[in-house]
């Protein structure tokens, strides 16, 4: 069954990179949508089902931390697995995001296979 | 933090970012690219310390890194993609540098801004500047921080 | 088992399930191996340098010598033999830093970066790697099963499993089949 993926990052080139990493996993991908901030992400999520969210933290309008907080408060959206992909590698931030409900965390810079493995771990699948 | 330590920290961050996500490396010390085709972006950070990171890169170097990052041929890239790449590169370098300066506290970064007219005059605010030779050009990183006050 | 030796700066693809592809003396060079477990197609290349742009005439005569020409060529050859890109298992070995060379001409490291760059262009990354370090490696790959074994000059042998990234000198010896 194909999974719908959402990529949330204000950098268009990073969104392209993340899309390529998703394809590395071998997960059958249905719809892979891209948005530039947390507010746009919530607008999309109110209209379509998504099976996995990859999100940056530092974004305009609504950052990734607020997005994950809002997801946690919504009964319909709180179970969607979230993997954070951020330049912030501090222990404090990682702990905060996990406490808010993020299931995975990868700090930039990262090897493509590192994110691939994290996505597969969070979704409970393995390609090879 | 002393200047030699900051020099090393910046070099370490550049090497890590280039090798990990751009499959590229520092080739040695370089000189800032004073041509009008160089691209430059700026990010401010706040948290345990605050400051700014500016990254300037030769246009050919930016094209090479963008091709590597996206897995595309250089000829197929648009100027907009190069601009986006330089912004993301600046974002990653700033995050990597700030993370190395302090491993504990969170930090926030502003959205990267492309500087339309890269400046070449000496800037009194810049505390540390390092230039690196990269494939097809030069990468220059400038760091100014309240840590140095 | 039939053995086919891949020489330095050379590469090839096989569908012979009873064959073994071998390449010797991987110092700073890199061996890239591809295997499609369904089509039972295996390919191996032993490239020496990262980029062909400095030697266009040489790269035309010997495309397997340079990472940026060798890897696309090997991929196309494997696909032409019936491999499917979505099924490919990608394994790499080599790229050692030889003779304590810390200069900017560190070919081993540049070969490893060129490997990742070329694979990424095809939307691929290695499933297993044994790269870097200072050891010269010999590599054997079974065409039928895709299993890969490495050997050091001192005689230590080990199997490189997909998803066992950067394995090096595990305790057990594995006999060649």
């Amino acid at each position: 069954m194909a999974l719908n993926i959402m990529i949330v990052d204000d950098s268009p080139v990073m969104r392209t990179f993340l899309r390529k990493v998703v394809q590395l996993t071998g997960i059958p991908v249905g719809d892979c949508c891209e948005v530039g901030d947390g507010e746009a992400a919530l607008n999309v999520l109110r209209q379509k089902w998504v099976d996995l969210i990859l999100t940056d933290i530092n974004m305009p309008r609504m950052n990734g931390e607020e997005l994950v907080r809002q997801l946690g408060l919504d009964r319909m959206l709180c179970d969607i697995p979230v993997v954070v992909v951020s330049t912030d590698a501090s222990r404090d931030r990682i702990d905060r995001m996990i406490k808010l409900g993020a299931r995975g965390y990868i700090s930039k810079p990262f090897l493509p296979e590192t994110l691939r493995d994290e996505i597969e771990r969070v979704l409970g699948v393995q390609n090879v | 933090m002393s200047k030699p330590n900051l020099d090393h920290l910046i070099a370490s961050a550049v090497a890590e970012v280039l090798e990990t996500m751009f499959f590229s490396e520092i080739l040695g010390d370089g000189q800032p690219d004073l041509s009008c085709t160089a691209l430059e972006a700026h990010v401010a950070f706040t948290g345990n310390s605050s400051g700014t990171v500016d990254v300037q890169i030769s246009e050919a170097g930016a094209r090479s890194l963008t091709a590597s990052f996206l897995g595309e041929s250089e000829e197929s890239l648009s100027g907009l993609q190069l601009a986006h790449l330089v912004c993301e590169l600046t974002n990653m370098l700033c995050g990597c540098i700030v993370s190395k300066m302090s491993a504990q506290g969170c930090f926030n970064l502003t959205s990267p801004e492309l500087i339309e007219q890269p400046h070449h005059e000496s800037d009194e605010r810049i505390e540390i500047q390092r230039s690196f030779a990269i494939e097809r050009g030069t990468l220059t990183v400038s760091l100014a921080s309240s840590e140095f006050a | 088992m039939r053995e086919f030796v891949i020489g330095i700066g050379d590469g090839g693809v096989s569908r012979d399930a009873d064959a073994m592809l071998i390449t010797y003396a991987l110092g700073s060079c890199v061996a890239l191996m591809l295997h499609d477990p369904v089509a039972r197609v295996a390919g191996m290349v032993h490239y020496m340098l990262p980029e062909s742009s400095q030697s266009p005439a040489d790269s035309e005569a010997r495309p397997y010598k340079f990472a940026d020409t060798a890897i696309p060529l090997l991929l196309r050859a494997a696909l032409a033999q019936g491999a499917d890109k979505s099924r490919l298992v990608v394994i790499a070995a080599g790229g050692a830093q030889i003779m304590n060379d810390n200069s900017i001409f560190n070919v081993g490291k540049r070969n490893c970066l060129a490997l990742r760059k070329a694979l990424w262009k095809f939307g691929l990354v290695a499933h297993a790697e044994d790269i870097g370090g200072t050891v010269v490696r010999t590599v054997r790959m079974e065409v039928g099963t895709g299993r890969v074994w490495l050997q050091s000059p001192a005689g230590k042998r080990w199997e490189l499993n997909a998803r066992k990234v950067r394995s090096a000198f595990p305790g057990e010896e594995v006999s060649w089949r």
Side-chain angles (χ1 to χ4, degrees):
Chain A
M1 195 178 76
L3 302 182
N4 293 336
I5 313 289
M6 172 181 275
I7 293 171
V8 190
D9 197 302
D10 58 337
S11 165
V13 289
M14 182 51 74
R15 294 198 299 262
T16 303
F17 191 97
L18 293 174
R19 184 187 278 262
K20 280 183 73 126
V21 174
V22 168
Q23 284 159 1
L24 281 180
T25 64
I27 295 169
V29 175
D31 186 31
C32 186
C33 71
E34 301 177 15
V35 294
D37 61 75
E39 198 169 300
L42 288 174
N43 288 339
V44 171
L45 288 167
R46 288 182 188 114
Q47 294 171 48
K48 63 188 334 183
W49 181 256
V50 160
D51 298 288
L52 171 73
I53 300 172
L54 305 178
T55 183
D56 189 8
I57 290 181
N58 288 291
M59 294 179 290
R61 285 210 303 174
M62 181 189 288
N63 67 26
E65 187 166 324
E66 184 58 29
L67 168 62
V68 175
R69 181 176 293 113
Q70 292 295 326
L71 291 173
L73 296 173
D74 188 311
R75 272 188 318 161
M76 295 290 291
L77 305 177
C78 61
D79 288 329
I80 301 175
V82 177
V83 175
V84 177
V85 185
S86 172
T87 51
D88 192 341
S90 64
R91 192 71 249 167
D92 288 354
R93 179 78 78 177
I94 295 172
D95 288 344
R96 270 170 36 184
M97 297 306 293
I98 300 297
K99 266 201 188 117
L100 285 171
R103 305 243 193 114
Y105 198 112
I106 294 292
S107 53
K108 300 176 189 177
F110 58 90
L111 293 171
E113 56 266 41
T114 303
L115 178 57
R116 174 200 64 193
D117 292 350
E118 184 73 341
I119 291 171
E120 289 178 357
R121 180 190 68 78
V122 165
L123 291 178
V125 299
Q126 187 174 46
N127 189 22
V128 176
Chain B
M1 195 178 284
S2 70
K3 186 176 183 305
N5 284 344
L6 278 165
D7 276 350
H8 176 74
L9 186 152
I10 290 174
S12 165
V14 171
E16 187 178 334
V17 169
L18 287 186
E19 288 174 24
T20 307
M21 300 202 74
F22 298 88
F23 321 118
S24 187
E25 58 177 345
I26 294 172
L27 300 178
D29 290 333
Q31 293 294 324
D33 184 338
L34 302 180
S35 70
C36 56
T37 56
L39 292 98
E40 185 170 343
H42 170 96
V43 170
F45 60 91
T46 55
N48 282 355
S49 56
S50 59
T52 60
V53 167
D54 277 54
V55 171
Q56 186 201 59
I57 181 170
S58 308
E59 197 260 351
R63 189 167 288 275
S64 175
L65 292 185
T66 306
S68 293
F69 189 76
L70 297 177
E72 305 283 350
S73 66
E74 289 190 26
E75 301 74 33
S76 69
L77 300 172
S78 67
L80 190 58
Q81 285 175 303
L82 266 63
H84 287 149
L85 187 284
V86 174
C87 286
E88 181 58 28
L89 174 63
T90 305
N91 179 54
M92 279 197 268
L93 282 171
C94 184
C96 196
I97 288 167
V98 175
S99 292
K100 287 178 187 295
M101 280 166 60
S102 167
Q104 290 302 317
C106 305
F107 57 85
N108 292 307
L109 306 181
T110 59
S111 286
E113 276 176 54
L114 198 70
I115 296 174
E116 293 299 329
Q117 298 287 337
H119 61 274
H120 305 302
E121 311 84 37
S122 73
D123 189 328
E124 285 175 9
R125 295 177 306 112
I126 295 171
E127 295 292 347
I128 300 279
Q129 185 177 83
R130 286 286 310 268
S131 290
F132 305 92
I134 59 171
E135 196 177 336
R136 312 268 301 283
T138 307
L139 176 76
T140 299
V141 179
S142 306
L143 168 68
S145 171
S146 59
E147 284 259 310
F148 316 144
Chain C
M1 186 166 278
R2 275 181 292 281
E3 293 186 348
F4 294 105
V5 176
I6 303 291
I8 295 174
D10 205 358
V13 175
S14 172
R15 294 191 62 176
D16 183 348
D18 291 325
M20 178 90 81
L21 302 178
I22 304 170
T23 198
Y24 297 103
L26 279 170
S28 59
C29 299
V30 168
L32 172 68
M33 289 149 280
L34 307 174
H35 186 252
D36 180 333
V38 173
R40 298 235 221 156
V41 174
M44 180 188 283
V45 61
H46 177 146
Y47 68 82
M48 302 167 65
L49 293 168
E51 265 184 45
S52 59
S53 56
Q54 302 297 315
S55 322
D58 201 5
S59 71
E60 203 164 311
R62 296 182 65 190
Y64 281 125
K65 185 175 170 183
F66 305 91
D68 60 345
T69 47
I71 292 170
L73 189 57
L74 186 74
L75 270 161
R76 282 197 291 271
L79 298 180
Q81 287 293 321
D84 187 307
K85 194 187 125 184
S86 65
R87 294 194 300 254
L88 280 177
V89 178
V90 181
I91 298 181
Q97 186 170 297
I98 300 301
M99 292 190 290
N100 201 26
D101 176 11
N102 280 318
S103 74
I104 61 170
F105 301 110
N106 181 350
V107 179
K109 181 176 175 184
R110 291 173 58 219
N111 275 337
C112 292
L113 288 171
L115 169 76
R116 302 182 63 79
K117 186 173 174 176
L119 287 175
W120 186 240
K121 214 166 171 174
F122 283 90
L124 295 169
V125 294
H127 293 94
E129 297 177 322
D130 197 302
I131 61 173
T134 56
V135 171
V136 174
R137 300 158 170 98
T138 288
V139 185
R140 285 174 165 81
M141 180 183 195
E142 269 186 6
V143 174
T145 63
R147 293 178 73 181
V148 172
W149 291 268
L150 306 184
Q151 182 171 349
S152 71
K156 269 195 187 264
R157 300 167 194 159
W158 65 100
E159 185 170 0
L160 186 54
N161 294 313
R163 290 307 177 95
K164 201 174 173 186
V165 178
R166 297 185 192 276
S167 68
F169 303 114
E172 290 178 11
E173 261 200 39
V174 180
S175 58
W176 299 113
R177 291 175 53 186

